Amino acid sequence: MAWIVTAAPETRSTISTMTTTVLVFHPHRSTSRVNAALAASAQAAGVQVRHLYDLYPDFRIDVAAEQAVLEAADRIVLQFPMYWYSTPALLKQWQDDVLTWGWAYGSRGTALHGKELLVAVSPGAGADRYRRDGAYRYEVAELLRPLQATSNLIGTTFLRPFVTAGTMSISDDALAARAVEYAEALTAPRQVLGDLEV
Ligand SMILES: Cc1cc2nc3c(=O)[nH]c(=O)nc-3n(C[C@H](O)[C@H](O)[C@H](O)COP(=O)(O)O)c2cc1C
């Protein structure tokens, strides 16, 4: 990742040369409302968006191609609807296949070290359910622990997740606002986005 500051003080500005790549895992993209809106917003902001279920409907992932995608990225974004308090199946397959020993982890597996990992998840239920005193008893951040542990293993910085809760009932206006926030989050510097401390 590189941050370039222009020399002239009067025009001093910070220009990000960071490459952000969004990997969308949605098994039913044609009926998606929320993830479709978020992905469209990302794309409109100039961020590369890849729809993994379109690329690999048979779950036969091109490992070399996907590893090359990750190597070229500074910020890797995993975007998906929450399924069974977890991820859609292809994201698990992607982890199993792409994050290989000797490449992503192990003494010589340093390909992703220093990159950022951002999880963008959309639970259908409202945020009030995802509380210790709520109906589901766990916060979304707790349910994302396996991805956070994976991030720790592969040497990426786990950024504060972008959680869009209540997608079953989100209004058009709220969704449009969230899509704008998503584009801002994808292009925000790490200091703004924040690492996940908990
Ligand atoms: C198989 C399946 C499992 C789901 N599991 C959960 C869940 O565990 N928690 C939750 O809040 N919503 C769950 N949902 C709701 C989805 O997260 C919700 O439909 C999705 O975020 C909507 O996004 P979309 O418009 O992009 O499809 C589930 C939906 C399906 C189809």
Side-chain angles (χ1 to χ4, degrees):
M1 183 194 319
W3 298 94
I4 300 169
V5 180
T6 56
E10 66 276 10
T11 58
R12 193 174 295 264
S13 63
T14 305
I15 303 164
S16 169
T17 58
M18 194 171 71
T19 301
T20 298
T21 300
V22 178
L23 306 181
V24 181
F25 297 85
H26 197 306
H28 308 292
R29 196 151 85 87
S30 61
T31 59
S32 166
R33 180 169 163 256
V34 171
N35 284 277
L38 297 179
S41 180
Q43 211 146 19
V47 173
Q48 184 191 187
V49 178
R50 294 168 61 79
H51 293 279
L52 276 288
Y53 272 93
D54 289 2
L55 291 166
Y56 308 113
D58 56 3
F59 278 50
R60 291 159 61 94
I61 296 173
D62 183 337
V63 173
E66 293 309 315
Q67 288 183 341
V69 165
L70 299 183
E71 284 174 1
D74 300 301
R75 176 175 290 165
I76 300 157
V77 184
L78 304 177
Q79 182 192 321
F80 53 91
M82 181 179 280
Y83 273 16
W84 289 107
Y85 309 104
S86 180
T87 73
L90 184 59
L91 176 46
K92 181 61 168 58
Q93 190 73 51
W94 175 90
Q95 289 174 265
D96 294 353
D97 291 353
V98 177
L99 305 180
T100 53
W101 182 85
W103 182 81
Y105 68 99
S107 58
R108 284 181 294 148
T110 58
L112 304 176
H113 281 198
K115 297 178 186 291
E116 299 173 349
L117 187 69
L118 174 65
V119 169
V121 60
S122 68
D128 56 323
R129 304 233 170 145
Y130 289 99
R131 294 197 327 218
R132 283 299 177 93
D133 60 354
Y136 298 159
R137 297 184 48 198
Y138 303 108
E139 296 176 6
V140 173
E142 293 178 89
L143 299 172
L144 296 178
R145 286 284 196 226
L147 288 173
Q148 189 173 7
T150 297
S151 178
N152 293 341
L153 183 71
I154 65 177
T156 51
T157 298
F158 197 71
L159 300 177
R160 184 165 299 282
F162 187 88
V163 180
T164 305
T167 58
M168 304 281 216
S169 56
I170 193 169
S171 70
D172 288 345
D173 286 351
L175 179 54
R178 198 65 183 142
V180 171
E181 289 168 2
Y182 189 46
E184 289 170 356
L186 293 179
T187 53
R190 181 190 291 182
Q191 305 90 281
V192 174
L193 213 46
D195 303 347
L196 188 70
E197 303 116 17
V198 292

